[in-house]
Amino acid sequence: CSDFYCVTCWSTMHAKGARARHCWSGFAAGAPACALCENAIASFKCEKCGDFLCGDCSKAAHAKGKNREHEQIILRENLDDETATYCRECDVRRGTEKCRLCSAQLCDSCYLFKHTETCDKRNGAKAIAFGVDIDYPTKCAICGRKPDSRCEECDEVYCTWMGKPRCFAKHHAKGNRRTHRLVPYNAMADMERRRREEEETGRKEAEAFEAERARTAAAFERACEEARRAKEEQDELIDAKAEELLAQHILNERAARRLQRFSPQDWLYSIMRKTWRFAEEQQPKKMTVFSSSSSG
């Protein structure tokens, strides 16, 4: 489609249909556009013309005359790190990905779309993950779809469309290839079966883990609730005991005050004070009566 996308929009627009088989090629930020078509990223620079051109425009502009003698320089990304290397496939972009089998440094687009066909152990990581021989191909030799048949003589794998071996017939329409035989190819079916088994096992393990987590969470909540209730009961017992001790302390203080108020010593002192006060009150009256009697 020759359109430009960001990663998210490309995934959205190429999720279904024929676009799902499209490939994309990335480029560095600020990469120059082709000076002629202005619709592609420049891959070459002409030293004589000084123009930045894409591959198709470079071939068309330098196909005749003296332009054929112009020197074309491949535009490569700058490596800002001493340890960085260029992609082994395109040798233009920086290698940011690493093949898990052959350890080749690859750019993101070559890692996704090109290295699968050129790797010494193509699709080996996926095949090893599902227990299939790493030498078994996983794409149709013509269209790239999932294969389900194999040519015995060529040892190439092909897909079928609507139950018909269209790719095999297209590749074996002439010469001695017309006599080749097509046999079933079960590697992809085995991979799919193992994939489903792995997914089912993973799903069951996830469900078991989730159930165990739920049981653990419920047990923890019950333990927390029991601890809370035990603490509340303990607090209630402590409060009741504190109220009982406080009431007993008040009673003791009252009893002590009563004992202090009616102690024998205080009672005796009170009687003596009253007697002395009465004697003092009666003493002047007696003296007055005696003096009056003596004068008569």
Side-chain angles (χ1 to χ4, degrees), residues 6 17 44 90 99-100 103 132 184 188 192 211 223-224 226 247 281 284 292:
C6 63
F44 299 91
C90 63
C99 179
R100 289 177 291 177
S103 301
V132 180
M188 293 301 298
E192 186 66 20
C224 292
E226 293 176 358
E281 292 177 354
S292 60

Side-chain angles (χ1 to χ4, degrees), residues 16 19 61 92 104 186 224 231 233 283 293:
K16 299 179 180 179
R19 289 198 173 199
V92 172
N186 299 322
C224 292
K231 186 176 183 304
E233 294 176 357
Q283 185 68 24
S293 62

Side-chain angles (χ1 to χ4, degrees), residues 189-232:
D190 293 339
M191 288 179 61
E192 186 66 20
R193 177 178 57 81
R194 288 184 175 88
R195 184 188 64 80
R196 288 195 297 267
E197 291 177 355
E198 290 288 336
E199 289 180 353
E200 183 66 19
T201 302
R203 185 184 61 80
K204 291 181 179 180
E205 291 178 354
E207 291 178 353
F209 174 78
E210 190 67 22
E212 182 65 23
R213 189 188 66 81
R215 287 195 296 269
T216 304
F220 178 75
E221 290 180 357
R222 288 195 299 269
C224 292
E225 183 66 21
E226 293 176 358
R228 185 183 62 81
R229 291 178 180 176
K231 186 176 183 304
E232 291 179 353

